[in-house]
Amino acid sequence: MATDVVMPQMGESIFEGTVTKWLKQPGDTVERDEPLFEISTDKVDAEIPSPVAGTLQEIKVEAGATVQVNAVVAVIGEAGAAASTPAAVGEAKADSVPAEPQKTGGETSTTEVVMPQMGESIFEGTITKWLKNVGDKIERDEPLFEISTDKVDAEIPAPVAGVLQEIKAEAGSTVQVNTTVALIGSAAATGAVAQPAKGAPAALPGKPSPVPTVTATEPAAATEQSTTAGAAERLRSSPLVRKIAKENELDLREVAGSGSAGRITKDDVLGHLERRAGTATAQPAAATPPPVVAAPQSAPQSAPAKAAPAAAPVSSSALVGELVPMTKMRSIIAQRMVESKRTNAHVHTVFKIDMTRIVRLREKEKSKYEQRNGVKLTYMPFIARAVTATLRKMPILNASIEGDAIRYHSNVNLGIAVALDWGLIVPVIKQTEERSFLGVARAIADLAERARGKKLKPDEVGTSTFTLTNAGIYGEQFGTPVINMPESAILGIGGLFKEPTVVTDELGIDSIAIRSVIHLTLGFDHRIIDGSDAGKFMAEVKKYLETWSEDIG
């Protein structure tokens, strides 16, 4: 019996997803829960597991296609079932955006390569670079061109193997989604490669004016891009890495990659450039200023990543005097933060917590704990347990407004903000109240690791009822976080510091002692949470932490 594989829903507000890569091919045997394909949405990049064990019988949606949730993207048959012929690959439902094979005569065929839709609100993209030239042979899923949108910079893979027959939109062109940007011919179609005159226009659907077609005789700029891309593609690297290398006239073969399978990361390139700058001799003055090198910045101010890392933020010192357009990610964050501030009646209360008891416990147990349980003992699970226990006692802090009513959530789904190189994501520990301390510690470590590796499952994002955000790792005393809608409260965790504190012994005698303290800030929606409730909540969390007695496992 065959089983349909559908596009999963990645969140309440997500109605479509882009298939970025197939991890199995027709005829392959798959196990239940084995990664089958990768998808990308506005909210998360994820590997989607197979719902059943069997044989991948048919792929209905090509890599690069954007389809609505619940659309059938593949069919899995029983083990040993015959797979569909390759001709079936790419035949999608009407609500998808696959590359559509079209006959050109004889026994050869061409496949249209279209501008993919990189998100719900994205309707066009700019081709920043072609990674192949007309006449080049291409493997399926091999990077074909790079695009840039308001939301993401990405490499777009070839939907089929063959020969790049024609490029319809040259580098620098901005075209609407679903527009044909190139044609890939079958291997037998080599002789049919289009050879239009240099600069000949090619009409683009949905655009009022034609876009020049890149021909077999490419202009100097295109040749330079092709050469750079060719050298870079032999090394595993992202578009951003190659951009930085090009701007700084750096041969990536000189850089040792520290990423997976030797992939060259942004940090590898920046580190190499710093070392090179330290040993380089003075260069002759140039007529134009040197290119700006992207530098690391705090994660919440960076752009998101989809199929490939997004354009990196640059340090403010490197951009002095420049006007830089706001990224789409920055724009979306701005909109959501303004919406939250406009909708929620924000109030904040700050409590100082004496963590000395927990600090001593952690120092005593952390080495043995990691050896025993395979997870590091951090302070986050202590706070998560205290918050969860208190939320069960005071459900008004675990509630949200729905119209003119209040939704009291039956479970504590704790969101843990995770800073990424390309932005911020809030994976969720479902039903936190049912987990032990060790279970919470493992869940936090697991979610953070998979968030950074783009391995989160669809239902692990965007379903939290209360959020923890830890900015204290950067050394701040405390902050006033914005509520993560539709939640009604958020807890900001400040840095851990040693301070002189007045302590009172059992006899009532005061003395000065050095204690380890943190500041916890509760941001709450005053529409449904009164100040007295917020104060009681924080007092209970404080008591839980300062008198810690729970077994940590």
Side-chain angles (χ1 to χ4, degrees), residues 294-312:
Q297 195 178 34
S298 59
Q301 298 182 10
S302 57
K306 297 264 182 190

Side-chain angles (χ1 to χ4, degrees), residues 334-354:
Q335 292 170 16
R336 290 176 179 171
M337 294 300 97
V338 169
E339 180 185 4
S340 180
K341 293 290 282 188
R342 184 175 60 241
T343 303
N344 297 317
H346 274 73
V347 181
H348 293 86
T349 182
V350 183
F351 273 57
K352 182 187 288 189
I353 314 294
D354 188 339

Side-chain angles (χ1 to χ4, degrees), residues 4 60-61 66-67 70-73 90-98:
D4 288 341
K60 289 181 170 289
V61 175
T66 300
V67 297
N70 299 328
V72 178
V73 297
E91 296 175 1
K93 292 197 168 210
D95 56 10
S96 64
V97 190

Side-chain angles (χ1 to χ4, degrees), residues 61 90 120 122 228 244 246 261 283 293 321 330 389 456 487 537:
V61 175
E120 221 177 307
I122 302 298
T228 304
I244 296 173
K246 181 180 177 182
Q283 297 295 321
V293 180
R330 187 76 267 151
L456 290 174
E487 300 164 24
F537 176 85

Side-chain angles (χ1 to χ4, degrees), residues 159-204:
V160 295
V163 176
L164 183 56
Q165 190 170 346
E166 183 180 356
I167 292 176
K168 288 181 171 288
E170 68 177 9
S173 302
T174 298
V175 297
Q176 293 183 349
V177 298
N178 304 336
T179 297
T180 301
V181 297
L183 299 177
I184 296 177
S186 63
T190 307
V193 173
Q195 301 286 342
K198 181 176 180 180
L204 293 174

